[in-house]
Amino acid sequence: MALNNPIDRAGTFKARIREYALKEYQSGAVGLYMVFDIEAQWDGEAWVDWTAYQVDADGTVWIIKRDGTLNNKSVEALVALGWDANLESFAHGACELSPCQIVVRPEEYEGNTTYRVAFINPYDASPGVQGGIAPDKAKELQSRYGSALRAIAGNAKANGTKPTGKPAGPPKPKLPDFQVDENEIPF
């Protein structure tokens, strides 16, 4: 698996998975190495078509960590793309993964910078908000902590706490007035 025209920048992109391979590394970690064809880049406001550039990117999604535990976030991301949670389907090339969004970040190695896929997300995810809490989880957290949060907020308002961005420093010390006798020479 080789890159034809490697991506040259970081960002969030829409992509199709061109090829993949399940790999076990010396550390004991198991990952799905993937090569992606880039379709569009998020410019902060809209998706910009990149299909004419024929750019690709690669990266590994770690399924089993080197300590032998599962990487839940990666498993969830792959399942969202259509994986049946069966490692053999990757080994046999029998898994069709849907298009997705990828987050590309720079990697430094021996003075060289390359750009690799750091995260994968569903195709219709909100760009720039990856890793946010789902609404149902936010609701659960609010029911658990809501009364304590409201109490803290109420106290802050009652005490006149205002967000200023910079805490007030201690008052400047008042220096005593010194009178120098003209016959004395100060050190």
Side-chain angles (χ1 to χ4, degrees):
M1 289 186 221
L3 296 179
N4 300 324
N5 187 13
I7 195 157
D8 65 352
R9 67 196 68 190
T12 301
F13 301 87
K14 285 191 175 184
R16 293 192 179 278
I17 300 165
R18 183 171 69 220
E19 44 189 340
Y20 62 79
L22 188 63
K23 294 185 174 187
E24 183 174 16
Y25 295 82
Q26 287 181 337
S27 66
V30 176
L32 185 66
Y33 172 78
M34 295 182 280
V35 176
F36 300 85
D37 290 326
I38 305 297
E39 295 180 342
Q41 180 184 23
W42 180 252
D43 71 358
E45 295 180 17
W47 290 103
V48 177
D49 183 22
W50 270 42
T51 53
Y53 304 122
Q54 298 180 347
V55 174
D56 47 18
D58 67 338
T60 301
V61 175
W62 301 103
I63 299 169
I64 301 171
K65 301 176 192 178
R66 68 179 85 178
D67 66 3
T69 61
L70 292 176
N71 187 342
N72 293 353
K73 294 264 185 212
S74 293
V75 170
E76 291 168 4
L78 290 169
V79 168
L81 299 184
W83 180 42
D84 61 2
N86 183 343
L87 291 170
E88 291 180 65
S89 62
F90 288 141
H92 297 297
C95 184
E96 283 195 43
L97 298 173
S98 64
C100 58
Q101 281 184 36
I102 58 175
V103 177
V104 176
R105 299 235 170 106
E107 287 186 2
E108 298 285 331
Y109 182 71
E110 294 181 355
N112 296 317
T113 301
T114 57
Y115 295 89
R116 307 289 303 264
V117 175
F119 302 102
I120 60 172
N121 296 297
Y123 194 77
D124 59 354
S126 297
V129 188
Q130 288 80 15
I133 292 178
D136 58 337
K137 180 66 176 178
K139 183 177 182 177
E140 174 192 329
L141 291 169
Q142 182 62 27
S143 69
R144 185 173 173 189
Y145 297 105
S147 61
L149 289 168
R150 286 187 298 276
I152 292 169
N155 287 339
K157 287 178 184 175
N159 293 333
T161 304
K162 295 178 185 174
T164 61
K166 189 174 182 181
K172 291 185 178 181
K174 185 170 183 172
L175 299 174
D177 290 331
F178 289 102
Q179 293 184 1
V180 179
D181 186 304
E182 291 180 14
N183 296 328
E184 293 180 20
I185 300 174
F187 294 95

